[in-house]
Amino acid sequence: MTANTRSGESPGDEGVRRPVSLDDEDALDAFVADADAALVEFYTDGCGICASMEPVLGNVARAVDVDVALVNPRDDPPLVERFDVRSVPLFVLFVDGEPVARRAEGFIPGDDLTAWVDEHVA
């Protein structure tokens, strides 16, 4: 299991929430199990909209105090079927380790995504 920051962290970044890159289904399961609430973006390499969501996700993580991760389901095909990934980016919100909501609408502005997370986590 590996969890890396896609943005990279420097030693002074403790406490700064950034999206974490997950390698596979086991890493995803461990990540959501350890978080009270987690927002996961399913993305693919070369998806411009997916890449443009990364800074938005970092802002959402800080605004609503949720853990945020990114996973490429093409790296672990069972994830495609398990989460019914039909398009990317797909956002799945987990509360207490269980998926509670999902959105697959392309680019979602930060305020909209924050409100959506708040609606399901509160």
Side-chain angles (χ1 to χ4, degrees):
M1 173 183 81
T2 304
N4 301 313
T5 58
R6 198 158 110 187
S7 315
E9 291 184 7
S10 44
D13 284 345
E14 292 88 7
V16 176
R17 289 185 179 270
R18 294 200 177 166
V20 174
S21 183
L22 304 174
D23 289 335
D24 56 26
E25 187 172 22
D26 290 340
L28 173 64
D29 288 342
F31 180 80
V32 300
D34 288 343
D36 293 333
L39 177 62
V40 177
E41 176 190 0
F42 291 77
Y43 75 96
T44 57
D45 293 329
C47 168
I49 295 172
C50 300
S52 69
M53 286 302 304
E54 185 175 352
V56 173
L57 290 172
N59 292 336
V60 169
R62 288 184 291 279
V64 295
D65 196 32
V66 297
D67 294 325
V68 177
L70 305 110
V71 65
N72 185 342
R74 288 190 181 167
D75 293 341
D76 194 357
L79 287 172
V80 173
E81 185 174 327
R82 178 176 167 193
F83 291 98
D84 194 28
V85 180
R86 306 249 177 205
S87 64
V88 292
L90 166 64
F91 302 95
V92 179
L93 181 63
F94 294 83
V95 175
D96 297 326
E98 296 297 321
V100 297
R102 56 185 284 138
R103 288 181 78 168
E105 303 156 17
F107 185 87
I108 303 171
D111 291 344
D112 290 354
L113 200 54
T114 299
W116 179 72
V117 169
D118 277 340
E119 173 186 330
H120 292 88
V121 173

